[in-house]
Amino acid sequence: FVMIGINDVSHNIAADDIANNIVALVDYLHTLSPATRIYLHSLLPFDSSYYYTSLEGKEQDVVTINRILHDAADSHNYTYIELYKHFVRPQTYLLDAAYTTDGLHLNGQGYNLWAQLLQPYINE
């Protein structure tokens, strides 16, 4: 199970580059261990209004990265797990406040939801 990329967003790396780097990493992992099933999580939304000014205005980058990762899943031999839509505040690109205390990291309720969403994959 792999979830990476949000720190790169905060470091002003282009969304396409982030997504392509993640896909390259998954390809490399698959080369090292071809029998291993790789599950790649979507990036989660965030809300930079709490503290994370380095993410300010980059909400759409997460959407772009997730689209690229989703589109590449079949051809790059990994299972894409869509988490974003379960954590985003309706009608926005922001992390729902119910799942965070700081706008970026999940709280207990957020981790419970994440665990529920992963359960079907863990049981495969």
Side-chain angles (χ1 to χ4, degrees):
F1 289 85
V2 178
M3 179 191 260
I4 56 175
I6 198 65
N7 288 338
D8 289 343
V9 173
S10 74
H11 288 101
N12 297 318
I13 299 172
D16 290 350
D17 291 338
I18 295 169
N20 291 332
N21 288 340
I22 293 169
V23 171
L25 173 66
V26 170
D27 289 345
Y28 180 67
L29 293 173
H30 183 65
T31 300
L32 294 176
S33 184
T36 300
R37 293 230 19 195
I38 299 170
Y39 298 87
L40 182 64
H41 304 200
S42 65
L43 277 70
L44 295 178
F46 58 84
D47 185 343
S48 64
S49 70
Y50 284 72
Y51 308 108
Y52 299 98
T53 57
S54 63
L55 288 167
E56 192 171 308
K58 298 178 183 173
E59 294 83 2
Q60 185 62 41
D61 288 358
V62 171
V63 174
T64 300
I65 292 165
N66 288 341
R67 179 186 43 77
I68 293 169
L69 297 178
H70 176 265
D71 292 349
D74 289 337
S75 62
H76 289 270
N77 203 25
Y78 63 83
T79 300
Y80 179 78
I81 301 175
E82 171 55 60
L83 299 175
Y84 180 92
K85 69 182 180 183
H86 300 280
F87 288 89
V88 71
R89 189 178 315 149
Q91 309 299 319
T92 74
Y93 295 109
L94 304 177
L95 178 58
D96 190 319
Y99 302 123
T100 186
T101 57
D102 69 359
L104 180 63
H105 301 97
L106 297 179
N107 61 19
Q109 186 175 346
Y111 279 112
N112 284 336
L113 176 57
W114 189 5
Q116 290 172 16
L117 296 169
L118 293 183
Q119 198 61 50
Y121 300 98
I122 292 169
N123 292 333
E124 283 186 355

